[in-house]
Amino acid sequence: MNDERDARELVATLMSYLPDNCDEDPPRRDGRAPAADTAGLDAVIPESPSKAYEMERVIERVVDAESWFELRPEYGPEILTGFARIDGRPVGIVANQPAHRAGAIFPDSARKAAEFVWTCDAFNVPLLYLCDTPGFMAGSQVEKEGILEAGKRMIYATAEATVPKQCVVVRKAYGAGIYAMSGPAYDPESTIALPSGEIAIMGPEAAINAVYANRLADIEDPDERAEREAELREEYREDIDVTRMASEVVIDEIVPPSELRAELEARFAFYETVEK
């Protein structure tokens, strides 16, 4: 922001997503195609859960062109918050950012997300969660910074929001992160997943270290140990695969990346007419 004119333009843009008061619906505009081809979403998301990428590249493929309006980008950058439009309908987006500390949720990002969710809920703006997180950060430093209180605020904000909520499991959804990101436990209007999605208490590496560390340590041959570790990792991955989650109706549907925009468009349109 350079001067007062820039400030006025930013405020005007922000207000364009919000109704005049909390009793009205957000203003709708004519829909526009996304700025980037939705078919390219496959190439954006790395197959490895540990590899970083920019979540904005996902957002630009599902929202109307030039409609993404990010709020507080420099505060708690592990989570993106902002307004956008999908087929002209305003939505509030809460998205993990794998390019920053793997998308783990820190105290600042949890507070930022909670405050944004409360704002959207107050002004009847439906919410879209894009989940790709290893969960809440743990450790003595974040405990001193208030991760328990901040995490509780984020989960509470998500749980109590009454506006329509759509959760998309983009890739990893580990630990309590899936709860904070409006996963199945908090009964969003729908939880859908891309084929790359995984829902688990912890990632494969952490799970193997926690459960099988002693057993693997007993294997003296390094090659044999590495082979067994790879087998255990693959078995664990099969157990947390979204295909199994869909078969058990933990999630509602698995959507090909190229169809995500159309799927969200249809779901937000449908729940727009459902009585709250």
Side-chain angles (χ1 to χ4, degrees):
M1 185 166 59
N2 298 318
D3 51 31
E4 290 185 4
R5 178 178 295 179
D6 283 350
R8 286 196 299 270
E9 289 178 355
L10 287 172
V11 171
T13 301
L14 173 62
M15 297 306 293
S16 72
Y17 294 96
L18 302 175
D20 291 337
N21 60 67
C22 63
D23 294 322
E24 296 183 5
D25 291 327
R28 186 178 176 189
R29 295 184 175 180
D30 293 336
R32 301 177 64 180
D37 188 358
T38 55
L41 197 53
D42 282 306
V44 168
I45 305 166
E47 185 176 346
S48 170
S50 60
K51 190 170 182 180
Y53 68 97
E54 296 283 348
M55 184 59 80
E56 289 97 337
R57 297 183 64 197
V58 175
I59 293 173
E60 70 179 357
R61 285 167 169 79
V62 296
V63 306
D64 293 7
E66 299 179 7
S67 72
W68 170 236
F69 183 72
E70 187 177 359
L71 300 176
R72 307 173 78 181
E74 297 179 3
Y75 178 73
E78 305 83 22
I79 286 182
L80 306 177
T81 57
F83 293 105
R85 292 184 179 85
I86 295 180
D87 194 28
R89 295 179 178 84
V91 298
I93 295 178
V94 180
N96 303 117
Q97 174 56 293
H100 284 275
R101 300 198 276 198
I105 303 172
F106 282 73
D108 285 350
S109 51
R111 295 186 189 101
K112 168 182 165 180
E115 291 163 9
F116 180 71
V117 169
W118 279 321
T119 298
C120 290
D121 195 40
F123 287 99
N124 305 314
V125 180
L127 286 157
L128 170 61
Y129 289 81
L130 298 173
C131 182
D132 190 342
T133 180
F136 286 92
M137 189 63 185
S140 58
Q141 183 58 41
V142 290
E143 288 176 10
K144 292 175 184 176
E145 295 171 1
I147 186 62
L148 295 177
E149 180 63 27
K152 182 176 70 175
R153 286 165 64 89
M154 183 179 177
I155 291 176
Y156 182 69
T158 292
E160 73 165 359
T162 59
V163 293
K165 294 171 287 186
Q166 313 289 339
C167 172
V168 179
V169 180
V170 177
R171 197 174 51 168
K172 58 188 183 294
Y174 299 156
I178 186 61
Y179 299 109
M181 296 298 290
S182 194
Y186 288 112
D187 198 25
E189 273 55 44
S190 61
T191 302
I192 60 180
L194 300 183
S196 53
E198 296 178 340
I199 299 177
I201 295 174
M202 60 184 76
E205 300 298 334
I208 289 169
N209 289 334
V211 179
Y212 299 107
N214 291 336
R215 193 180 303 179
L216 289 169
D218 291 337
I219 303 175
E220 296 181 1
D221 180 41
D223 293 336
E224 183 183 348
R225 184 166 59 247
E227 183 179 348
R228 181 57 182 148
E229 187 174 338
E231 290 174 357
L232 290 170
R233 190 182 299 109
E234 201 55 39
E235 288 174 10
Y236 186 81
R237 276 234 153 80
E238 290 176 5
D239 192 50
I240 65 176
D241 183 75
V242 287
T243 303
R244 186 182 70 80
M245 299 287 179
S247 69
E248 296 176 359
V249 201
V250 174
I251 61 172
D252 297 293
E253 193 167 355
I254 300 173
V255 179
S258 60
E259 297 177 14
L260 180 59
R261 156 71 184 214
E263 187 72 24
L264 291 173
E265 195 175 306
R267 288 179 182 272
F268 278 116
F270 176 79
Y271 287 106
E272 184 180 53
T273 61
V274 173
E275 186 175 345
K276 300 173 185 176

